[in-house]
Amino acid sequence: MNTFAAEQLSYWIATAPQGEPRPALERDITVDVAVIGGGIAGLSTAWELARSGRGVAVLEAGRVAAGVTGHTTAKLSVLHTLVYERLRRTRGPEAARLYARSQSQALRHAAAIVDELGIDCDWEEADAFTYVQDAARTGELRAEAEAAREAGLPADYVTETDLPYEVAGAVRVTGQAQFHPRKYLLAVADELLRQGAEIYEHTRVTGLKEGEPCRLTTEAGVTVTARHVVVATHYPIFDRALLFTRLSARRELVWAAPVPADQAPHGMFITPEKGTRSVRTAPYEDGQRLLIVTGEHFTPGAGDVEARFERLADWAVEHFGKLDFTHRWATQDNDSTDSVPLVGPLPTAGRHTYVATGFGGWGLSTGIMAGRLLTELINGREPEWSGLYDPRRLGTVVREAPAFLKHQANVARHFVGDRLPNVSGGSTDDIAPGDGAVVLTGGHHSAVHRDDEGQLHAVSARCTHLGCLVAFNRPERAWECPCHGSRFDTEGNVVQGPATRPLERRDI
Ligand code: FES
């Protein structure tokens, strides 16, 4: 095993360079629809809106297709681990059918876009599998296969897969797809520009005043006036309805290594066992395939990330043989408390603000689905599945209670615990090069990183979202907030929301 030669970079980002940044927004503009966020959900929404004749501006805080979408495992599948039996049980068979239909339609729609634009994005059809190795769990898989079939999917229960190890049972859904998400999305962004849409990068939105029209303000002090606003920032940056109480953030780690093509398993695989393991392959150099293994999910800011990377690498070697890893990276997902994404009008906001979030690790099909759904809603139509995804849904509150309470207990622990004196301490002398720690200085919590040259970099340790204490992720050299998943670089700049303001610099 050679894990140390691996580049700490997403394979998708490494193999689809982006060129010069698109301009930042430096003047006030007026537009029909402002879409905040340039990932799969934001660009898909902008694409559908532009196609329907709407004037659109995309406002991206960093680079388009470089955030969560640039770090995904890029499966376009409607088999979302074990969602159908749960939906059938909690919201009825019709909800499961609508979920299956909306996600299947998104997959077909993506295939049509690839065809129409002639996008070279390594598109491949593949069957999707959810499997278990523990024989005691095969009943769950049988029930999932039955629920998925009843929902209208080409699903069956199997006991053999193309994986090089035994499974006790698996749900298979045929005719799914996998692709290179950045090749796809960068081509969509280029086409959007050709169609007259505006895309601004390095344009962080920090304020929203709802009304008719709505007004957005950016970090640079520019105003965007828009009739409609779509918040597609992964975790919503504007959340007057407290959606964050129904969302929990989770990070997952990814390793990639080439394998001989004749040893690469055909299909896309996931198991809920062992803290989730996901497997797919992608085209690679010299007739090889790139094995991509994902797992070890954890709350941002929690635990030893390096040890988790090692554990996942060991698992991959144990199951696939000797591997020379080329890339490793991490991704972040938001789980909703009832396992159904939140896509539609932003609760308690004005009538013209919409949100797409809570994709639960299935952001590609759901992001494309969200683009179509939000466009329909903005254009005054209601697809049959709008109620299923409606963020204002209340009927599921009681059924969501266990997940809701578990998430809130974790957040409350940080809200309260992080405000107690001496919650953390230590001295900057104890911080090794490349590492970071929260220390008490002058009665304040400071997040201190020591770089490879021994220089200290200090910022406030209070997350600018709602004030929890951040923790250091050493392999990724980032400060992470365990409450809602905001992430900051070592200088305190926001890498990932919901926070929109940087951590304050500190002298130390
Ligand atoms: Fe909410 Fe940090 S992300 S308090």
Side-chain angles (χ1 to χ4, degrees), residues 253-271:
L253 307 179
V254 189
W255 282 107
V259 292
D262 58 2
Q263 289 171 28
H266 296 287
M268 303 177 288
F269 307 88
I270 191 163
T271 178

Side-chain angles (χ1 to χ4, degrees), residues 244 415 463-468 470 481-486 488 497-499:
F244 61 77
F415 272 142
C463 174
T464 54
H465 178 227
L466 291 175
C468 292
V470 296
C481 179
C483 283
H484 312 106
S486 289
F488 306 85

